[in-house]
Amino acid sequence: MTTRPSPRRSGGRSALLALFLALAALLFGSGPVPAAAAGAATGAWWEPASRPAPDSGINVTGAPFTGTDTQGKVRGFVDAHNHLMSNEGFGGRLICGKTFSTAGIADALKDCPEHYPDGRGALFENITGGADGTHDPVGWPSFKDWPANNSLTHQQNYYAWVERAWRGGQRVLVNDLVTNGLICSILPRDRGCDEMESIRLQAKKTYELQDYVDGMYGGPGKGWFRIVTDSAQARSVIEQGKLAVVLGVETSEPFGCKQILDVAQCDKADIDRGLDELYGLGVRSMFLCHKFDNALCGVRFDQGAIGTAVNIGQFLSTGTFWATERCTGPQHDNPIGLAAAPVMASKLPAGVSVPSYASDAKCNTRGLTRLGEHALRGMIDRGMMLELDHMSVKAAGRALDILEAEEYPGVLSTHSWMDLDWTERLYRLGGFVAQYMHGAEGFIGEAGQKADLREKYGVGLGYGTDMNGVGGWPGPVGPDAPNAVKYPFRSADGGAMIDRQVTGERTWDLNTDGAAHNGLVPDWIEQIRLSGGQGVVDELADGAESYLTTWKSTEKHEPGINLATGAATSASSSEWHPFTSYAPGRAVDGDAGTRWASDWSDDQWLRMDLGAVHRVGKVTLDWERAYAQEYRIELSENGTDWRTAWSTTAGDGGYDTAEFDSQPARYVRIQGVRRATQWGYSLHEVAVHRT
């Protein structure tokens, strides 16, 4: 059993240093104070004119690389998935400790009050990791038990540790604003559980961190931590050798879009207002669902005991457990966790238990909903990038269908939570991939699976540390392991020397501590080099350029003109209903909530008159459940003489994109040949494009 340590004996250099720091604090107060930093003497731009005292060491010497390479490309690593401010989420007491504090490091790096005196009250920590149900809660200056690679509820993103990652070569950091209202409601908290309120607060604190760092460097705009809102701004920051920080959102019920007993608790107006607000805050990438099925999409399941706990959490939040079905393609969702989670199970109503699941049903029944499609199109309209991770296979496939139809490159997978079979579709669109921060060997193994695709599409690679994201991080390999890091070592670009990281009385060593906090990212990259050679590190160094390329292409995207919008239409038949119209014009009215439906027989067609002859090269079809297994796209200039431009005998419903050589046509006809269901043919929307 771990107990709180007794006071340390005085004596030796460490005691003298501690006495000096204590005197400095008494004389100068607890806020930032002038320090004899290297920058003050040498004028080095990367060293602050002042730093709080006492504070963490950086333990990196040498200038950060600036500018571009001989081809004009920026260089640098991309942490595409981090949570700098998640201590402000979940009610404020899931992640203990702060990224920064104007009161100094002792205030920033302290445990949550319920963790004292010996960690027994750390509910979530003891469920998910940690030692044996107890831990030493003292952070600064001893850090006996935290942060640790297997401690999921203690601060890993203290600003000086982020600074060390930057000094080691990182040039892009995506700060995903994250929370979960249900987790908030069952844990100790010191604030409300509204998810959008938490997102606003985390964005505010990120801007405050930028101001805090700027204050050390002489004023606004002078620090290394730069929040960016467009790709050109990010490129400029990286060329200066600084860290471009992008805001993202990863939350379970954005805009209040939860679902209760499968009934959406938001509407399109809520989504539009929410997207406008997020964009105004500077958010440029986003997950539409996370952990729980919501009104926008179904999720990719969690595994093990955490999976069971999350499934129970979904029931408590939505009234439904996850539901599965057989997958229709090679992609599948993660296996559902079935291990016991007694703490969460105790919160279920009497007589309710987690259901069992068929072993051959590996896909979530829930995909991308119509509200989810509205949100996705809203993101496209605003030039925001979609995160595919956490989407169910069914939802991700539908999202990719829509993105491909729109030729929209803004798609990301940032921490290995996407079926790898989607990778080429993502790269073909122009998207960006980052892998989870696995151990070096595991990271290299995953990278090798898609190395040929990265070479084919000429893209770099990123990593997602998921720090402060309750994920677990690489453990120690031991000082005698073949890939043990030898300190000090040179940074990947060769311009800096990196030694063991020191914070207070604790010296961190990747070999014996694992990836306990963000400051050890450079050490982890060195271990990747030792494990797999320079090749993967070079691909990681190309990550910044690839990420910016995806972002810039997203910003430049111009939506194609839909020639069919409002076109005159006719059909072989229309299903009759006393209260709803299924007329042919419903398929071109711009409303995905309406549809054309034919009679229940095979040989049926829908025709559109574009009003004049245009070059036509692409037709997209949004099928209802009654879809065609075999059908043709036919074109005509006069409405009499028809030619087949495209056909299939293996239609699978959903969202189809038919592309063919551009050719002149005034009339476009979808000719059904064979139905896939007992019903007729039914289309929510048809779009016709020039190319």
Side-chain angles (χ1 to χ4, degrees):
M1 187 173 84
T2 304
T3 57
R4 192 169 182 173
S6 58
R8 294 176 179 267
R9 291 176 295 173
S10 61
R13 295 176 62 186
S14 62
L16 290 173
L17 177 61
L19 177 61
F20 172 80
L21 294 176
L23 289 171
L26 287 172
L27 290 171
F28 298 110
S30 58
V33 298
T42 66
W45 66 266
W46 60 88
E47 293 284 3
S50 64
R51 190 185 292 278
D55 203 7
S56 171
I58 307 301
N59 309 106
V60 179
T61 57
F65 57 84
T66 60
T68 59
D69 64 14
T70 56
Q71 297 176 313
K73 297 179 179 180
V74 296
R75 299 165 295 163
F77 307 130
V78 178
D79 183 352
H81 194 103
N82 199 320
H83 302 290
L84 294 181
M85 296 299 169
S86 63
N87 59 287
E88 304 291 350
F90 309 98
R93 301 266 276 276
L94 174 63
I95 304 297
C96 304
K98 305 173 186 176
T99 307
F100 74 102
S101 171
T102 56
I105 191 170
D107 180 66
L109 296 181
K110 62 183 181 183
D111 214 338
C112 292
E114 59 273 8
H115 290 202
Y116 288 90
D118 61 3
R120 293 178 191 273
L123 174 65
F124 200 84
E125 174 82 355
N126 297 335
I127 293 174
T128 57
D132 57 1
T134 63
H135 69 266
D136 181 356
V138 176
W140 173 268
S142 57
F143 300 106
K144 182 176 184 295
D145 284 339
W146 67 269
N149 72 285
N150 62 345
S151 172
L152 306 189
T153 67
H154 291 97
Q155 182 60 244
Q156 299 174 295
N157 279 321
Y158 184 61
Y159 92 91
W161 300 337
V162 179
E163 180 178 352
R164 189 172 191 268
W166 159 64
R167 290 286 299 275
Q170 190 167 288
R171 291 296 177 268
V172 176
L173 184 151
V174 180
N175 177 28
D176 283 317
L177 315 175
V178 63
T179 191
N180 180 287
L182 188 278
I183 292 176
C184 170
S185 71
I186 63 177
L187 290 176
R189 58 186 182 276
D190 52 22
R191 64 199 64 172
C193 295
D194 181 272
E195 293 192 358
M196 289 302 291
E197 283 293 329
S198 178
I199 296 304
R200 295 180 191 108
L201 175 60
Q202 291 177 57
K204 177 176 179 287
K205 297 299 290 187
T206 308
Y207 284 99
E208 289 178 4
L209 173 57
Q210 179 175 258
D211 294 341
Y212 182 76
V213 174
D214 280 351
M216 301 179 203
Y217 286 79
K222 295 187 177 181
W224 53 269
F225 185 94
R226 313 294 339 140
I227 300 170
V228 296
T229 55
D230 61 59
S231 63
Q233 189 181 19
R235 184 172 295 276
S236 175
V237 165
I238 296 169
E239 287 176 350
Q240 296 171 51
K242 299 182 179 183
L243 180 67
V245 179
V246 185
L247 296 185
V249 164
E250 181 186 37
T251 192
S252 298
E253 294 158 352
F255 327 128
C257 282
K258 68 185 300 177
Q259 53 97 8
I260 299 178
L261 298 176
D262 293 320
V263 177
Q265 305 299 298
C266 68
D267 57 24
K268 292 179 179 179
D270 295 321
I271 293 168
D272 294 341
R273 283 192 298 269
L275 286 173
D276 284 341
E277 179 181 10
L278 292 181
Y279 193 88
L281 290 172
V283 171
R284 294 298 180 266
S285 63
M286 183 176 177
F287 295 78
L288 290 181
C289 49
H290 176 239
K291 299 303 182 185
F292 300 163
D293 294 341
N294 62 24
L296 307 178
C297 54
V299 294
R300 189 167 168 85
F301 309 128
D302 280 85
Q303 304 178 62
I306 289 181
T308 304
V310 173
N311 198 6
I312 293 170
Q314 161 150 323
F315 178 85
L316 296 174
S317 179
T318 71
T320 58
F321 290 105
W322 290 326
T324 63
E325 63 186 10
R326 290 182 179 179
C327 304
T328 58
Q331 296 85 5
H332 59 82
D333 292 320
N334 293 326
I336 290 182
L338 296 176
V343 174
M344 287 296 293
S346 68
K347 299 183 180 298
L348 286 170
V352 176
S353 60
V354 179
S356 59
Y357 295 94
S359 60
D360 62 347
K362 298 181 179 179
C363 282
N364 193 336
T365 60
R366 197 171 184 88
L368 189 67
T369 68
R370 288 295 173 183
L371 283 175
E373 291 181 19
H374 181 80
L376 174 55
R377 293 187 184 281
M379 292 177 67
I380 293 172
D381 290 343
R382 293 163 178 80
M384 299 171 71
M385 293 177 282
L386 173 72
E387 292 268 11
L388 276 190
D389 288 7
H390 288 295
M391 274 187 167
S392 69
V393 161
K394 198 170 184 177
R398 177 77 172 180
L400 286 168
D401 287 343
I402 293 172
L403 295 171
E404 287 166 346
E406 297 289 341
E407 298 178 351
Y408 190 73
V411 57
L412 310 169
S413 172
T414 57
H415 65 334
S416 301
W417 209 261
M418 173 190 77
D419 190 299
L420 288 179
D421 281 346
W422 295 131
T423 304
E424 184 157 19
R425 290 184 72 181
L426 184 150
Y427 281 149
R428 191 184 299 120
L429 279 165
F432 180 78
V433 172
Q435 298 175 185
Y436 189 79
M437 189 186 183
H438 300 299
E441 298 287 352
F443 187 91
I444 292 165
E446 184 178 329
Q449 294 181 54
K450 299 301 177 183
D452 56 337
L453 288 180
R454 292 194 298 278
E455 182 176 2
K456 176 180 177 180
Y457 290 95
V459 296
L461 182 62
Y463 51 82
T465 63
D466 204 16
M467 291 287 175
N468 285 2
V470 195
W473 297 271
V477 298
D480 300 321
N483 61 350
V485 174
K486 296 176 175 58
Y487 294 92
F489 60 91
R490 286 208 169 270
S491 60
D493 66 290
M497 288 297 295
I498 302 174
D499 208 340
R500 291 176 176 84
Q501 199 279 316
V502 180
T503 304
E505 299 167 4
R506 180 74 183 268
T507 298
W508 305 92
D509 184 321
L510 185 75
N511 303 313
T512 54
D513 297 313
H517 62 67
N518 203 355
L520 298 174
V521 167
D523 314 50
W524 172 73
I525 291 173
E526 169 67 1
Q527 193 166 81
I528 287 174
R529 186 188 70 80
L530 294 170
S531 301
Q534 188 65 32
V536 177
V537 176
D538 289 342
E539 288 192 272
L540 290 171
D542 290 336
E545 182 66 36
S546 284
Y547 184 88
L548 294 189
T549 298
T550 293
W551 194 0
K552 182 177 181 179
S553 298
T554 302
E555 294 167 332
K556 291 174 62 179
H557 175 263
E558 295 182 2
I561 297 172
N562 179 6
L563 300 172
T565 299
T569 57
S570 58
S572 56
S573 64
S574 295
E575 182 181 344
W576 181 85
H577 192 282
F579 305 112
T580 303
S581 171
Y582 296 124
R586 296 290 190 168
V588 294
D589 63 0
D591 184 353
T594 64
R595 60 189 174 96
W596 164 70
S598 76
D599 287 346
W600 296 10
S601 60
D602 282 336
D603 189 20
Q604 303 287 337
W605 52 262
L606 172 71
R607 186 175 75 170
M608 291 150 286
D609 179 355
L610 306 182
V613 174
H614 298 275
R615 301 290 298 187
V616 173
K618 182 169 73 173
V619 177
T620 61
L621 305 98
D622 183 358
W623 293 100
E624 198 252 353
R625 287 178 297 174
Y627 66 94
Q629 183 173 340
E630 182 178 355
Y631 69 98
R632 302 189 299 268
I633 306 294
E634 299 178 332
L635 305 179
S636 173
E637 293 177 58
N638 57 18
T640 302
D641 303 310
W642 295 91
R643 60 190 182 276
T644 298
W646 185 92
S647 65
T648 183
T649 60
D652 59 359
Y655 208 91
D656 282 350
T657 299
E659 294 187 87
F660 42 86
D661 291 338
S662 180
Q663 49 196 285
R666 172 173 173 168
Y667 301 92
V668 178
R669 185 166 69 186
I670 293 98
Q671 176 65 61
V673 178
R674 183 157 48 96
R675 295 167 296 153
T677 70
Q678 62 182 322
W679 303 292
Y681 304 102
S682 186
L683 285 160
H684 284 288
E685 283 293 309
V686 176
V688 177
H689 300 277
R690 290 186 174 89
T691 58

